[in-house]
Amino acid sequence: MARAEKSKSAPTDTANILAAPSALEGGEKIENFAEDETSEIYMEAEALYAPVQRAYENKQDQSDRIAEYWNIFNCKPDSNQSYTGNSQCYVPAVRDCINARAKRALKQLFPTRHKHVDAVGDDPEIPYTALALIEHDIRATRLKEIVRSSLVAGDVTGQWNLYIDWSKSYRRITELVKRNPALETVEGEEVSLVDPNDEEEATEESDVVEEGPEVVDFATEDLAVVPPTCNDIEKADAVSLRLRMSKAKVKQMVEQGVFITQPNQTADDLWKELETDTQAGSGGAASNKVPPRARVEDAGIKTEGTYKYLLCYEVTAKLSFPSEETGKPVKRLAYIYFGSSNQILGIVKAPQWGGKRPVISAPVERVSGSFFGTSKIEAVKFMQWNLNDYWNMGQDAAMYSLLPIWAADPLKNPNWATMVMGLAAVWPIAPDDIKPIMAPQLYKEALQLCDAIKRQIWESMDTNEMMMGKMPQGRKNNALIGGVQQEQMTNIMDHAERYEESILTPLAERLFEYERQFRTTALLVEVRGEIGVKAKMTQVNPSQFDQRYQFVWAGTSIIAGQQLQQQRIAGMNVLRGIPPQQLNRRRLDVSPILESFVEQLYGPEMATKILIDERNMFTVPAEVENEMMHNNLPVAVHEADDDQQHLVSHMSGARLTGDPTGRFRAHIAAHTMAMQTKQQMQMAQQQPQPGAPGVPGGPPGAGTVGTPRMGAQVAGPRPGVQNPPGLPGPDQGMGPPRG
């Protein structure tokens, strides 16, 4: 949760004092309602421990199944393997399906850089600053990596989970600065006389505030919802999350006032007390199966001696707090921290203005009447286990079939035990008294059976051969490949759209709410304006967020727009061919189509150089340009500039300054080229203009090569030579008929 810190200094000037006063340095100390054990709030919170603990006990079967699912994904053999032979292989069929789904869904969700969210405000203008702030948070939190692991965990466990928090820390930095040296210091004063004609280098230390949102994906086994039949997490009675805190984290929680201690009790004493309660089994909060430790061990890292933690429950529920205006009890969201069954570490009001829980959780496949979903592995786990058994049986059969067995008569050859297969071996036995025995080649049947099981696993998990990097069998043509790609795109698009609606769109809304409430210092972010306007860095102050925006994740919509580019271009050609008298007093403007096409095809960086908005370019007097070039600032040549006047002024400025950097020479050359271009345009206007394709009146062969006719539609390439009637098409070979 976003928690307050103790008072250190006065609030910053740029921060809005009315915005989250408890989150600022000079804000109020956090109020903890766990200090009074006789209050109604404490007793109401204490009654939540029993149903929360019961909810975790009811989830034990789910936790056991999830452990099996992770073993399947990590290709770890367990007790579900029936065949115990020499071969111990594990075929990663399920793992390949999950990784293929995650990679393609991630590409749908993050198609381009710097463009992930769309927003609509209370005015017609696009809120570029708010969008830039959200894009900054997406990059700062490394959300793409988190979404990748969340997609994988969703397919394995059946649930997508994210936790949103706000963090704030200080970092001491050292800078190298230039300043005037001190000549004489006034005794008893902090000021000194300096030499304005000299400079020296010195180091200065300062504190830098680092604050921003944190997005963490957590294990489904650590989440409990009361009641478990609630489909909306905001409507649940209580939502609990297991937290594993180190000793340093417990001290930080005590210093912030989130955890309470008894009089004359330190954070170390509280740690020892909670450790004793856990060992005695009074709370039941300890668990032998720790999902984070299991994930680390799956990566091949041991945790013995380095993973000592305090396990507590963070429960979010609505408690009856007294109203500040009337004093009557009002239901408000609260954070309750249970250290054991007989100790509540803290009860604090939720600091978020939105009053929403910090947990965003949704099932991958919704089950009616249940908050949690079903894993994608549940339907194919038995096939995966059988696949491993058959594969290992085939490997053992292949090994036996490659090593022949020799049968010898022990009466005629008493030394038969010495007959060991070796290079250039000589056996003391008659050739007629020995014969080879070949084991049957059963591995061929095993491979066919494994291939059939693997294809069924692919089909059950909404994947196909092309997603696995394999071309489909049989004859292939453009229609077949296009159909397979379309079916593949449908499954992944549906998967990505559900993740957008359930996780990413609420996350974007939550990020903006946290930024508006908890940020206390100005932030320098990159703001991208309309097409043709170059990106720039803008300083965003915390107090400027006084409007309400609705954010929508735009990943799948961008991909869908890219697929419709050809249809849009064809539609633009149709619009261009409509006569003006048929528009019914409407004016045709194709510039928005061009802007969307150029930005999505070439990216926002190159789009600013391809489509240049003349509204953002203005002519500058020659004297001002001279001053700008003298200060090494870039100066562009405008079409409306008086080139001759500018050339005279720039030549004079170059002689005056000597042009040490060459900026005057380059700018003079640009003006000379602009003059030549204008003269060529004037000469071209005096000549007759050639006709364009699709426009009557032009001479034969005139027009620009490659320009489509007005009203043309997108079509496939035509063959170079017209075939005679009855000849098979280019996609029909001379092979057997297709089935």
Side-chain angles (χ1 to χ4, degrees), residues 708-730:
R709 299 190 307 272
M710 291 187 180
Q713 293 286 341
V714 178
R718 295 183 179 180
V721 180
Q722 182 67 32
N723 295 326
L727 193 68

Side-chain angles (χ1 to χ4, degrees), residues 69 72 94 155 374-384 456-457 460-461:
Y69 302 151
I72 292 176
V94 172
D155 285 347
T374 305
S375 171
K376 300 288 291 185
I377 305 179
E378 175 64 29
V380 297
K381 63 179 182 180
F382 292 102
M383 287 189 290
Q384 177 66 63
Q456 183 59 47
I457 292 177
S460 300
M461 299 193 70

Side-chain angles (χ1 to χ4, degrees), residues 95-115:
R95 181 187 180 91
D96 293 343
C97 291
I98 292 177
N99 287 333
R101 285 167 51 87
K103 291 177 182 178
R104 283 155 180 80
L106 193 69
K107 189 60 179 177
Q108 298 280 339
L109 299 172
F110 295 85
T112 59
R113 295 185 304 168
H114 312 298
K115 179 64 176 178

Side-chain angles (χ1 to χ4, degrees), residues 12 126 155 237 272 322 394 495 530 553 620 629 653:
T12 56
I126 300 177
D155 285 347
D237 297 338
K272 294 179 181 178
H495 183 54
E530 296 180 358
W553 197 269
V620 180
M629 288 185 288

Side-chain angles (χ1 to χ4, degrees), residues 24-40:
L24 307 182
E25 276 80 353
E28 303 173 357
K29 183 180 179 180
I30 191 170
E31 184 179 5
N32 201 319
F33 294 87
E35 298 177 351
D36 186 6
E37 298 183 1
T38 61
S39 63
E40 296 182 359

Side-chain angles (χ1 to χ4, degrees), residues 138-152:
I138 292 173
R139 294 190 297 270
T141 57
R142 304 174 69 175
L143 185 61
K144 189 174 182 179
E145 298 180 8
I146 298 173
V147 170
R148 182 190 298 271
S149 63
S150 177
L151 289 171
V152 172

Side-chain angles (χ1 to χ4, degrees), residues 595-653:
E595 292 176 0
S596 175
F597 169 71
V598 172
E599 184 174 4
Q600 294 186 14
L601 185 61
Y602 298 100
E605 290 83 4
M606 296 183 60
T608 59
K609 303 176 182 179
I610 298 174
L611 289 181
I612 300 176
D613 193 353
E614 297 291 344
R615 297 171 298 178
N616 299 292
M617 299 180 62
F618 304 95
T619 180
V620 180
E623 293 76 11
V624 179
E625 289 185 350
N626 291 339
E627 184 177 357
M628 295 172 63
M629 288 185 288
H630 178 68
N631 293 304
N632 294 327
L633 297 177
V635 180
V637 176
H638 195 271
E639 294 182 359
D641 289 342
D642 189 347
D643 297 315
Q644 296 181 354
Q645 179 186 359
H646 277 243
L647 285 174
V648 174
S649 178
H650 297 333
M651 290 180 181
S652 176

Side-chain angles (χ1 to χ4, degrees), residues 51 54-55 58-59 62 223-232 236-238 367-373:
R54 185 63 177 173
N58 295 335
K59 281 172 56 69
Q62 181 196 38
L223 179 65
V225 179
V226 180
T229 57
C230 180
N231 289 328
D232 189 357
D237 297 338
V367 179
S368 179
S370 174
F371 178 79
F372 295 95

